[in-house]
Amino acid sequence: MGKGAKVAAAFFLLAGCAQAQRKAETEDFANAAAQAETQIAQQDHIRCQSYGKSGSEAYLECRLSLRKHRAEMHDRSR
């Protein structure tokens, strides 16, 4: 195998490793984001239960209010 072919093979292998690393990082990030969303939903549920039973108008208004507030805070951070 010539020097050029060896260099090309090395680039191919490195590109494959980099792609696998990016995929693993993306999956890790997605898992962490899903866990965070679950925790936030649980915290919101607990907080809003003090306003009423799950499904009641007061409970749903609480959940909606928290969601809107979180969205506003997210928009301001951009």
Side-chain angles (χ1 to χ4, degrees), residues 18-36:
Q19 185 178 16
Q21 179 66 31
R22 280 192 304 274
K23 182 179 178 190
E25 289 172 355
T26 300
E27 289 173 357
D28 288 345
F29 179 79
N31 288 336
Q35 285 179 335

Side-chain angles (χ1 to χ4, degrees), residues 9 29 63 66 78:
F29 179 79
R63 293 293 298 259
L66 291 173
R78 289 184 173 194

Side-chain angles (χ1 to χ4, degrees), residues 31-75:
N31 288 336
Q35 285 179 335
E37 282 186 41
T38 299
Q39 289 176 339
I40 289 168
Q42 289 172 344
Q43 291 169 351
D44 287 356
H45 172 70
I46 291 167
R47 182 175 183 181
C48 291
Q49 280 182 323
S50 67
Y51 291 89
K53 291 183 180 180
S54 296
S56 70
E57 187 175 338
Y59 174 87
L60 294 174
E61 286 178 10
C62 174
R63 293 293 298 259
L64 181 60
S65 174
L66 291 173
R67 189 176 303 131
K68 283 182 177 180
H69 178 72
R70 199 171 288 113
E72 289 171 1
M73 297 305 291
H74 177 65
D75 290 344

